[in-house]
Amino acid sequence: MDPTHAASVVDFHNSAKLIGAGMAASGMIGAGIGLGVLFGNYLQAAIRNPAGAASQQTMLFLGMALTETMGLFSFVVSLILIYGVS
C-alpha cells in the first residue's frame, strides 16, 4: 500500500467522523425550535388568561427540561463521535 493511499483513508475516516458529528449536533436545532414554540405558546396563554398562568408554570418547566435534554443528548452523541471513535 503506497503512502498516498493510506493518507486518503485516514482523511476519509476523519471526514466521515466529523460529518457524522455535525449531523448528530443538528438535533440541537430541534431543541431550539421546541423551546421557542413552548415558551411562545406559554406566553400567549398567560396573556390570555393571567390567572391560570401560575398553575401551568410547573408544566412549562417540565417541558423545558425534557426539550433541552433532547438537545443535550444530541450534543453528547456528537462529542462521542468526535473524541470517542478512533
Side-chain angles (χ1 to χ4, degrees), residues 15 22 29-31 37-38 45 47 51-52 56-57 62 65-66 75-77 82:
S15 299
I29 295 170
V37 168
L38 183 72
I47 289 172
Q56 294 299 317
Q57 194 170 16
L62 179 64
L66 293 174
F75 180 67
V76 167
V77 166
I82 291 175

Side-chain angles (χ1 to χ4, degrees), residues 3-71:
T4 57
H5 179 68
S8 67
V9 169
V10 171
D11 290 340
F12 177 75
H13 178 67
N14 193 29
S15 299
K17 183 171 67 169
L18 293 175
I19 289 171
M23 290 174 68
S26 68
M28 293 171 47
I29 295 170
I33 292 171
L35 285 172
V37 168
L38 183 72
F39 281 109
N41 287 339
Y42 174 77
L43 183 61
Q44 187 178 24
I47 289 172
R48 289 184 183 198
N49 185 10
S55 66
Q56 294 299 317
Q57 194 170 16
T58 304
M59 296 305 289
L60 171 74
F61 289 137
L62 179 64
M64 180 191 69
L66 293 174
T67 306
E68 192 65 30
T69 301
M70 292 298 115

